[in-house]
Amino acid sequence: MLKSLFVSNYALIDQVEIDFSNGFSVITGETGAGKSIILGALSLVLGQRSDVSVLKNKEKKSVIEAVFNVEGYGFEEMFDNEDVDFEIETTIRREILSSGKSRAFVNDTPVNLGFLKEISSRLIDIHSQHQNLLLGESAFQLTVVDTVAKNDTVKDRYKADFKTFHSLTKKRKELEAQNDLLKQEADYMQFQYVELEQLKLVDGEQGELEQEREMLSHAEEIKSNLFANVEILNGESTALISSLKDVSKNLDKVSAYISEGEEWSNRVESAFIDLDDLVKELESKMESVEHDPSRLEYVANRLDQIYALQQKHRVDSLSALIEVRDNLALRLQKIASFDEDIVELNKEIEKALVGLKISGQKLTKTRTKVIASIEKQIVGQLVELGMPNARLVVDRKDLVEFAENGIDDVNFLFSANKKGELSAIPKVASGGEMSRVMLCIKALLSVSKGLPTIIFDEIDTGVSGEVADKMGQIMQEIAANIQVISITHLPQIAVKGKYHYKVYKKDSKTDTHSSIERISEELRVTEIAKMLSGSNLSEAALSNAKELLAQSNR
């Protein structure tokens, strides 16, 4: 339940702090006094968006802070998932900065607006006049039936089955569309694949072929230079390697007399070994290099084929060309295996459809089961609210196709007159009649939904007299289970409240301020009297106000 509300620098409010209690509270005040401002401020801590226009003083931030008792409403896991400390008395704070940006906190932990909205959906229901329009929306009507049916578990099972079925049918459509497209290109893809596959491409061979082509193209030059080097190193004329043997012998003769001699000798020995190995490699390579025109032609032709295909497929490497070939193979395989894939997918869809039908029928059963009680309770209360001929029928039909929320098309059909034709509520109901229907629905939901708090923002529009008195009684009945706050302009409802708050406006020389306070029983008599007769109080009005208050407390 809502324990308190603190508002500063918001619209016409400098600063107010209000404590609320359980049961039925009413908020009254003259038109324009700021009742809607209080509600607007509360909506911010419940996750609604705002901007800098709400600031009374544009140079200061606005702070709205609400304290809720959340004991027993299962918020622990939700708070833990968001790394927010759980407190039985949870504080939600919203700050609107002068820059227009806003910040939100739950128990002093920064949170996003999505989290605030998630909390508020389980904490409070604010009914404003425009919500009466929901009476004509099938989605709202279905929500009413589901709330009374308390079928969350069954509905969640259906939604999971629907998601599975929808995902599989979507996959089939995509597969069919993809296959149609691939079939249009199948012949050309097959031609491209064969063209690439016939080359038997091997990753890395392009570099090897390019190197071999260079060697074959310059075979004579390579052999000539290699032979020259062998002659220099080991030929009879120069015999560099033989000379190194002589150098090594000469160093051996003096190594006993100079300290560097042994090291020099070792270095010459190492050079001798390296050069000897080099000569052997040069001779081997010289023998292997042959001028082979046929091999050169083969290498050049293969490289030309590779280059041409790289250009054709707009790639710059052999590995990329191999990837093109493999992708073509996969796409061709998809075409070949399409029939098998569709058969398997259809089996999955059929299985999912069976499950969906079962869960859909179970969901329909939960809804059908409560329809009669919904009709009976709403019509019974409408009779008490001065509509003796009211009829309300919850019309349920099967949908042609499965939908996200089930296989049920639910419509509330209404008539206020004995012989009136049943039709959609907004088409046949006046503003006052819609207010009464909505109050009855809210009374129904308040018991079933289990919300801690409900706020009625002038739900009494278009009614008066005995009807207003009965609306107040219904709100009292709802308040026996949850906290009810009603913003009202009718004395018949105001006297029903256990607690009475007054919103008022003050004008200074430079500014206008709105504020709110809980009023005493004595001041309450005066306030009710003003609601009855206007600002010119009479003894009759005061006496009437006392009588109304006395009757409401019996």
Side-chain angles (χ1 to χ4, degrees):
M1 58 169 278
L2 178 62
K3 297 278 292 183
S4 66
L5 179 66
F6 170 84
V7 182
S8 70
N9 194 36
Y10 179 85
L12 297 179
I13 297 174
D14 288 321
Q15 181 173 308
V16 298
E17 186 166 7
I18 323 160
D19 292 324
F20 291 98
S21 300
N22 202 1
F24 186 22
S25 298
V26 295
I27 299 176
T28 63
E30 296 179 2
T31 301
K35 299 189 293 295
S36 62
I37 294 174
I38 299 295
L39 204 57
L42 179 60
S43 70
L44 289 181
V45 297
L46 300 178
Q48 297 301 312
R49 295 194 175 276
S50 184
D51 55 57
V52 73
S53 64
V54 303
L55 300 181
K56 190 174 191 295
N57 182 341
K58 303 299 182 185
E59 297 179 358
K60 296 170 58 180
K61 70 180 179 181
S62 173
V63 177
I64 301 98
E65 187 172 281
V67 178
F68 293 89
N69 185 312
V70 298
E71 185 177 11
Y73 286 93
F75 282 98
E76 290 87 346
E77 183 178 354
M78 182 193 298
F79 278 42
D80 185 56
N81 291 338
E82 293 291 327
D83 291 327
V84 174
D85 293 333
F86 175 79
E87 301 288 346
I88 290 176
E89 291 201 349
T90 284
T91 301
I92 303 176
R93 185 172 77 256
R94 187 83 179 273
E95 297 179 357
I96 313 300
L97 308 181
S98 57
S99 63
K101 296 181 179 179
S102 73
R103 300 182 297 191
F105 304 86
V106 175
N107 294 332
D108 289 325
T109 300
V111 297
N112 57 41
L113 294 188
F115 184 58
L116 289 191
K117 289 181 179 179
E118 188 177 1
I119 293 175
S120 67
S121 68
R122 296 171 58 179
L123 274 179
I124 194 166
D125 177 15
I126 299 179
H127 174 83
S128 55
Q129 292 181 51
H130 76 271
Q131 270 197 325
N132 288 342
L133 299 175
L134 292 173
L135 288 172
E137 296 183 6
S138 182
F140 173 74
Q141 296 168 359
L142 188 61
T143 299
V144 172
V145 174
D146 284 340
T147 302
V148 176
K150 297 181 179 179
N151 58 9
D152 286 348
T153 301
V154 179
K155 188 164 60 175
D156 289 345
R157 177 69 265 168
Y158 172 85
K159 285 189 172 183
D161 290 342
F162 177 80
K163 184 178 180 181
T164 300
F165 176 74
H166 179 70
S167 176
L168 289 170
T169 53
K170 182 182 178 182
K171 182 179 179 181
R172 182 171 63 184
K173 286 181 180 178
E174 291 173 350
L175 188 61
E176 288 172 342
Q178 187 183 57
N179 188 66
D180 289 342
L181 185 62
L182 288 174
K183 278 184 175 179
Q184 294 173 17
E185 303 173 357
D187 291 342
Y188 184 54
M189 283 193 297
Q190 184 67 34
F191 168 76
Q192 288 180 311
Y193 174 74
V194 170
E195 187 178 39
L196 286 165
E197 176 61 21
Q198 285 177 340
L199 275 182
K200 304 298 180 185
L201 299 172
V202 178
D203 197 13
E205 72 167 315
Q206 184 176 354
E208 295 175 359
L209 288 170
E210 288 171 341
Q211 187 176 6
E212 184 180 2
R213 181 186 60 185
E214 291 301 308
M215 186 179 70
L216 290 169
S217 298
H218 302 84
E220 293 299 329
E221 183 180 351
I222 293 170
K223 287 180 71 73
S224 175
N225 282 281
L226 291 177
F227 178 77
N229 286 331
V230 170
E231 284 298 305
I232 292 170
L233 292 170
N234 206 28
E236 294 182 359
S237 58
T238 54
L240 180 57
I241 292 178
S242 297
S243 297
L244 281 175
K245 289 183 179 179
D246 294 336
V247 172
S248 179
K249 290 177 182 178
N250 292 334
L251 287 173
D252 285 342
K253 292 177 181 178
V254 299
S255 61
Y257 311 115
I258 57 176
S259 59
E260 299 90 349
E262 186 176 355
E263 179 195 349
W264 291 343
S265 179
N266 290 336
R267 288 167 65 184
V268 171
E269 181 66 23
S270 176
F272 171 79
I273 294 171
D274 286 343
L275 287 175
D276 189 51
D277 287 342
L278 176 60
V279 167
K280 292 175 182 176
E281 289 179 17
L282 292 175
E283 288 175 337
S284 175
K285 177 58 77 173
M286 185 175 63
E287 292 175 0
S288 67
V289 174
E290 296 290 342
H291 178 60
D292 188 344
S294 61
R295 176 62 182 174
L296 178 59
E297 182 181 5
Y298 168 79
V299 171
N301 286 338
R302 185 162 179 79
L303 284 172
D304 286 343
Q305 288 176 306
I306 292 172
Y307 294 149
L309 288 172
Q310 285 177 344
Q311 186 175 11
K312 178 178 180 178
H313 293 283
R314 298 180 181 179
V315 296
D316 56 5
S317 68
L318 184 63
S319 59
L321 196 59
I322 291 173
E323 187 176 351
V324 170
R325 179 199 66 193
D326 294 344
N327 285 337
L328 285 168
L330 285 173
R331 294 171 73 183
L332 290 167
Q333 178 61 32
K334 282 184 178 180
I335 296 174
S337 63
F338 171 75
D339 291 339
E340 293 179 10
D341 293 341
I342 284 292
V343 168
E344 291 301 315
L345 191 55
N346 282 334
K347 288 180 182 178
E348 292 184 57
I349 291 173
E350 188 62 33
K351 182 179 178 181
L353 182 59
V354 171
L356 185 60
K357 285 179 179 178
I358 292 172
S359 57
Q361 289 166 356
K362 287 181 179 179
L363 183 57
T364 294
K365 188 175 181 180
T366 66
R367 290 166 172 168
T368 305
K369 191 175 180 180
V370 299
I371 284 177
S373 63
I374 292 173
E375 294 172 341
K376 182 179 179 180
Q377 182 168 334
I378 292 177
V379 170
Q381 287 187 326
L382 287 174
V383 171
E384 294 178 10
L385 288 170
M387 301 173 68
N389 299 313
R391 288 179 294 154
L392 184 133
V393 173
V394 179
D395 183 41
R396 192 210 69 81
K397 293 184 177 70
D398 289 337
L399 291 170
V400 177
E401 295 181 349
F402 291 95
E404 185 178 1
N405 290 308
I407 54 177
D408 308 293
D409 179 27
V410 170
N411 288 286
F412 285 14
L413 303 178
F414 174 77
S415 173
N417 304 312
K418 185 178 291 186
K419 294 184 179 181
E421 184 179 350
L422 289 167
S423 187
I425 297 174
K427 290 183 179 181
V428 295
S430 65
E433 289 168 344
M434 288 181 70
S435 293
R436 282 176 270 181
V437 173
M438 182 57 90
L439 178 61
C440 295
I441 289 175
K442 291 289 183 177
L444 189 67
L445 294 178
S446 66
V447 177
S448 301
K449 198 170 185 180
L451 282 175
T453 302
I454 185 169
I455 297 178
F456 293 110
D457 181 18
E458 298 190 353
I459 195 174
D460 47 30
T461 299
V463 300
S464 59
E466 291 185 9
V467 173
D469 182 71
K470 185 55 187 177
M471 289 184 80
Q473 288 180 28
I474 291 176
M475 291 183 197
Q476 279 184 319
E477 292 169 5
I478 297 173
N481 299 308
I482 64 173
Q483 182 186 44
V484 177
I485 301 171
S486 177
I487 299 173
T488 182
H489 63 281
L490 296 180
Q492 294 92 336
I493 291 177
V495 296
K496 296 290 193 300
K498 186 177 180 180
Y499 310 99
H500 192 149
Y501 299 84
K502 180 181 178 181
V503 179
Y504 58 91
K505 188 163 60 176
K506 285 185 177 180
D507 293 322
S508 65
K509 291 181 180 179
T510 59
D511 208 350
T512 300
H513 309 271
S514 282
S515 192
I516 183 172
E517 64 179 2
R518 184 189 291 187
I519 57 178
S520 65
E521 288 302 314
E522 184 177 347
L523 289 175
R524 193 175 182 188
V525 172
T526 303
E527 179 67 11
I528 297 298
K530 286 181 180 180
M531 295 175 74
L532 287 166
S533 64
S535 57
N536 296 322
L537 292 177
S538 63
E539 286 299 323
L542 289 168
S543 177
N544 194 5
K546 289 178 182 178
E547 179 61 24
L548 283 174
L549 284 166
Q551 289 176 357
S552 69
N553 292 321
R554 287 175 186 170

